[in-house]
Amino acid sequence: MAQRILVLHGPNLNLLGTREPQVYGRRTLAQIDAGLVELGTRLGVTIETFHSNHEGVLIDRIQSARTDGTEFVVINAGAYTHTSVAIRDALSGVALPCVEVHLSNVHQREAFRHHSYLSDIAVGVICGLGEFGYEAAVRFAAGR
């Protein structure tokens, strides 16, 4: 069972609740994070959440996960999913299992969102379930 799970949020996810609520929902990132921390407590695992709009900051956090006791990563890389080889390489380099999460169903959206640089290294991909996708990923990680 994973004891420490890192939940990473990429660019623009700090706008949740106000940015295109018909696509991304009405709950804020802070509300989602609080729910995940509470879920972790119920499951007996530690949840750390981290957000950045900056690719390098996300990479630094991924790299530090290798030595800080993190056992599993849940990542919604936002638009970096479709553009960042560097985030892919960081995840690959730390060799921690991860689940890729997207609030919307990226396959029903613009063509450029159909490709992910992360999917082939993730143990699972969840998309289109809204904020429940994070919960499902944390439950999965906690059970590994």
Side-chain angles (χ1 to χ4, degrees):
M1 179 196 264
Q3 296 300 309
R4 182 176 169 95
I5 301 166
L6 173 62
V7 179
L8 292 172
H9 308 287
N12 298 310
L13 291 167
N14 56 306
L15 299 176
L16 288 177
T18 59
R19 175 187 177 212
E20 300 177 83
Q22 72 281 8
V23 175
Y24 299 108
R26 299 201 179 278
R27 293 188 29 112
T28 67
L29 186 59
Q31 291 170 321
I32 291 170
D33 283 349
L36 293 174
V37 170
E38 180 184 321
L39 174 62
T41 300
R42 289 195 317 265
L43 297 174
V45 299
T46 300
I47 304 291
E48 178 191 345
T49 63
F50 184 84
H51 165 264
S52 181
N53 287 317
H54 305 283
E55 184 178 35
V57 174
L58 289 166
I59 291 166
D60 289 343
R61 184 61 193 93
I62 291 165
Q63 289 178 357
S64 68
R66 185 174 71 169
T67 59
D68 71 1
T70 297
E71 297 175 65
F72 203 100
V73 175
V74 172
I75 184 167
N76 181 345
Y80 287 140
T81 302
H82 320 291
T83 64
S84 182
V85 174
I87 288 176
R88 180 199 192 285
D89 287 350
L91 287 166
S92 222
V94 300
L96 292 169
C98 70
V99 168
E100 175 184 347
V101 173
H102 300 282
L103 295 166
S104 67
N105 182 346
V106 294
H107 303 291
Q108 291 180 332
R109 299 190 60 201
E110 304 92 340
F112 69 86
R113 296 186 196 275
H114 298 179
H115 178 265
S116 167
Y117 281 101
L118 311 180
S119 294
D120 67 320
I121 61 168
V123 295
V125 177
I126 301 170
C127 69
L129 301 182
E131 68 180 272
F132 178 73
Y134 284 115
E135 180 181 333
V138 165
R139 287 182 179 280
F140 174 79
R144 281 184 56 108

